[in-house]
Amino acid sequence: MKAILSKVKKCFQTHPDAVLAVIAILYGLMFLPAIIIQDDLKWLSSVDTLKNTLKLVYSQYYTWSSRVIINLVWYLVLRFGKVAWALYMAVSAFVLMKALQLLSDDDHNHLIHWFSVTMLMLFPSVFFVSAGWIATTTSYFGPQAFGLMALVPIKKCLKDEKIGKWEWVFYLVCLIYAANAEQMCVVLLGCYLAAEVYFLVRKKRHSMIIVFLLVTAASFVFMLSCPGNWARKDQEIIRWFPTYGMLDNIDKADIGISTTLHWMFAESSLIVIFICLMLTFLVWKRYKGFLFRCLAVLPLAAVLFLGPLKNVLAAVFPYASFISYDVDYYGSFTVGELGGGVGRIRFALFLFIALCIAAEVILLNDTITGLLVDSALIITGFGSRVMMAFSPTVYMSNIRTYSTLVVCLFAFAMHMFSHNLSHLNVREKQYARCMMAGIILFGIVDLACLVATYGHS
């Protein structure tokens, strides 16, 4: 086993991209046993020819959705079958891992490659099946992977790295495809707007940032002006949220913020637990002060005792177990409780946990630029989920709407890890490799079990 790990380590060091490509191909092949169900089965007969596919996408622009590029890719992959889908997943997985590597502070370190694979396997597999295998992955996983790659130009401009014309074209294609997804469009728009403001303050001009900001803004306007989005909204209110019209913007924001905080801190979110564990370790490594170390432990303890260990919390503190309960259908501050009650307490506790994590981020960043990067990723990622409360499908499409936040957390985790990697000694790096290998192994088992069982009667 030791010899195998040594060979894998050597391959990562000498041919990192080739190894990532092999991992991505194997990842894509894992989806071949899945069966066509749900939305995929519904539209399969409608995409039998290219002409019918184009007609369907065109008609849905007026009746259903602004995702004309994403839906076109979905229908084409569906038309050409599971082999095409496996290839799509392999390409998306490679783009995701490579983007994370490029967004790191040390993209030549072999531990960074391990970390990018770990992030891939931490992507919640339950997100893949909420609307049909191909429908969900081509609407969320793929665009988000390309969305992360579309953020790489910001990092290159921050580092004053030269960007070739073919790189321009590649990153622009990634941006156009990713920005066709509403949530990813918000992330890209927020990040490029923040980057442009930053460079204006620093009295620097990067034409690439300006062009990409304008393209993203155009995609955002296209999304808002799409007649299909508005037509669909009226239908979805009747079907999924009949009382939605009674809510004002504050009520909707309450639902968005409350449900997102609850998912992060009280629903056993593996990526959040992993990040809290990583931040705790890094703070303990860099700071010896008792106050700083206690501060670092609080978020980790909270996500554990409100998530996987909530039964322990209920047994030891039975009157505090309400904190892990689901958020009320109308948010934390409801008319029935006159803005008070347990919802208010839970909301305050979640905000306190978030503030503790923000303090850890400040402690682990050595530059203002790094802090701004992390803030942009977290705020835009969080906002991409909160915005879903301004749609009547906030509960119907609940699970998959967290996926954009997840990939933003991936990028944030990569930046935190790579930035603080120099503070780890040889033994600690070895422990990190072992932990990442374990996560990758369990991620493979989890995905394999899902593919082998979901939809099979």
Side-chain angles (χ1 to χ4, degrees):
M1 186 66 180
K2 186 176 181 181
I4 295 174
L5 290 175
S6 178
K7 289 181 180 179
V8 172
K9 176 182 175 181
K10 187 176 180 180
C11 287
F12 262 110
Q13 293 173 331
T14 55
H15 307 288
D17 286 349
V19 175
L20 289 183
V22 171
I23 292 173
I25 292 171
L26 294 175
Y27 184 78
L29 291 175
M30 289 183 67
F31 291 89
L32 285 177
I35 60 174
I36 303 299
I37 53 175
Q38 296 171 298
D39 287 359
D40 295 329
L41 192 60
K42 174 184 176 181
W43 296 106
L44 184 59
S45 61
S46 301
V47 295
D48 53 341
T49 65
L50 180 60
K51 181 179 179 180
N52 288 340
T53 301
L54 293 174
K55 287 174 63 177
L56 178 61
V57 172
Y58 178 77
S59 65
Q60 286 184 337
Y61 169 75
Y62 292 98
T63 62
W64 193 251
S65 175
S66 60
R67 299 181 190 176
V68 291
I69 301 175
I70 289 173
N71 285 347
L72 177 60
V73 172
W74 166 26
Y75 295 141
L76 289 176
V77 171
L78 183 61
R79 177 178 176 237
F80 288 106
K82 289 196 290 185
V83 174
W85 177 46
L87 178 61
Y88 176 87
M89 292 301 292
V91 171
S92 298
F94 179 81
V95 168
L96 175 65
M97 293 186 290
K98 187 62 181 178
L100 288 171
Q101 175 192 332
L102 293 173
L103 289 170
S104 71
D105 281 353
D106 186 6
D107 58 359
H108 298 294
N109 192 306
H110 71 280
L111 268 180
I112 297 301
H113 305 124
W114 276 104
F115 197 88
S116 64
V117 179
T118 303
M119 293 294 100
L120 172 66
M121 299 315 302
L122 276 175
F123 193 91
S125 56
V126 69
F127 291 175
F128 293 140
V129 294
S130 57
W133 285 102
I134 301 176
T136 309
T137 52
T138 55
S139 298
Y140 294 90
F141 180 73
Q144 288 152 2
F146 283 89
L148 281 186
M149 186 62 77
L151 291 175
V152 172
I154 297 178
K155 188 248 185 177
K156 287 183 174 290
C157 290
L158 288 171
K159 299 291 185 180
D160 291 321
E161 297 179 16
K162 186 178 180 180
I163 302 175
K165 63 178 182 180
W166 288 113
E167 285 185 281
W168 256 78
V169 175
F170 173 69
Y171 291 132
L172 184 60
V173 171
C174 292
L175 180 82
I176 293 172
Y177 178 50
N180 195 227
E182 298 90 342
Q183 288 179 276
M184 202 66 218
C185 183
V186 169
V187 170
L188 291 169
L189 183 61
C191 288
Y192 272 97
L193 183 60
E196 178 59 20
V197 172
Y198 174 83
F199 287 125
L200 284 176
V201 172
R202 297 292 297 270
K203 297 181 179 179
K204 290 184 177 181
R205 299 302 297 244
H206 289 280
S207 58
M208 192 173 195
I209 299 296
I210 298 173
V211 171
F212 279 35
L213 175 60
L214 292 175
V215 172
T216 310
S219 182
F220 187 75
V221 172
F222 176 78
M223 176 183 70
L224 291 179
S225 61
C226 173
N229 286 340
W230 298 105
R232 181 179 63 176
K233 185 174 182 179
D234 293 335
Q235 299 176 41
E236 289 172 336
I237 289 176
I238 298 172
R239 185 176 183 184
W240 302 112
F241 206 149
T243 57
Y244 187 78
M246 299 171 61
L247 305 176
D248 59 21
N249 288 334
I250 295 178
D251 295 327
K252 296 171 186 176
D254 175 22
I255 292 174
I257 295 172
S258 298
T259 54
T260 306
L261 289 173
H262 187 273
W263 177 84
M264 291 178 66
F265 301 135
E267 292 190 23
S268 303
S269 308
L270 286 181
I271 180 59
V272 178
I273 294 174
F274 177 85
I275 288 175
C276 288
L277 177 62
M278 180 186 69
L279 294 178
T280 300
F281 174 77
L282 292 175
V283 170
W284 276 60
K285 179 65 181 176
R286 294 190 57 177
Y287 297 92
K288 306 300 180 183
F290 177 77
L291 180 61
F292 289 155
R293 290 189 166 189
C294 286
L295 177 70
V297 169
L298 287 176
L300 178 61
V303 297
L304 288 176
F305 282 101
L306 295 178
L309 300 179
K310 61 183 177 183
N311 290 334
V312 176
L313 176 68
V316 178
F317 302 104
Y319 295 103
S321 60
F322 72 88
I323 298 171
S324 62
Y325 293 171
D326 289 339
V327 176
D328 187 272
Y329 195 78
Y330 293 101
S332 295
F333 303 90
T334 62
V335 175
E337 293 183 336
L338 299 178
V342 297
R344 176 184 56 184
I345 300 173
R346 182 169 46 221
F347 188 85
L349 177 62
F350 288 160
L351 282 184
F352 175 73
I353 299 171
L355 289 174
C356 290
I357 294 175
E360 290 181 274
V361 174
I362 293 172
L363 290 174
L364 294 173
N365 267 296
D366 301 309
T367 64
I368 294 296
T369 301
L371 181 60
L372 292 175
V373 168
D374 289 332
S375 300
L377 288 170
I378 294 174
I379 292 172
T380 56
F382 189 84
S384 73
R385 174 54 182 71
V386 173
M387 67 172 276
M388 289 306 301
F390 292 85
S391 166
T393 61
V394 58
Y395 290 116
M396 185 277 294
S397 54
N398 185 31
I399 293 295
R400 59 184 180 267
T401 58
Y402 293 101
S403 54
T404 305
L405 171 58
V406 166
V407 295
C408 288
L409 291 176
F410 285 172
F412 162 72
M414 175 61 83
H415 181 257
M416 282 280 93
F417 179 74
S418 61
H419 182 72
N420 292 277
L421 189 57
S422 60
H423 295 281
L424 304 184
N425 58 39
V426 175
R427 178 175 293 183
E428 290 164 344
K429 290 178 181 178
Q430 184 64 35
Y431 290 154
R433 276 193 293 268
C434 292
M435 184 180 70
M436 287 187 281
I439 293 173
I440 293 169
L441 177 61
F442 283 110
I444 293 172
V445 172
D446 177 63
L447 180 58
C449 290
L450 179 68
V451 172
T453 60
Y454 189 83
H456 293 265
S457 56

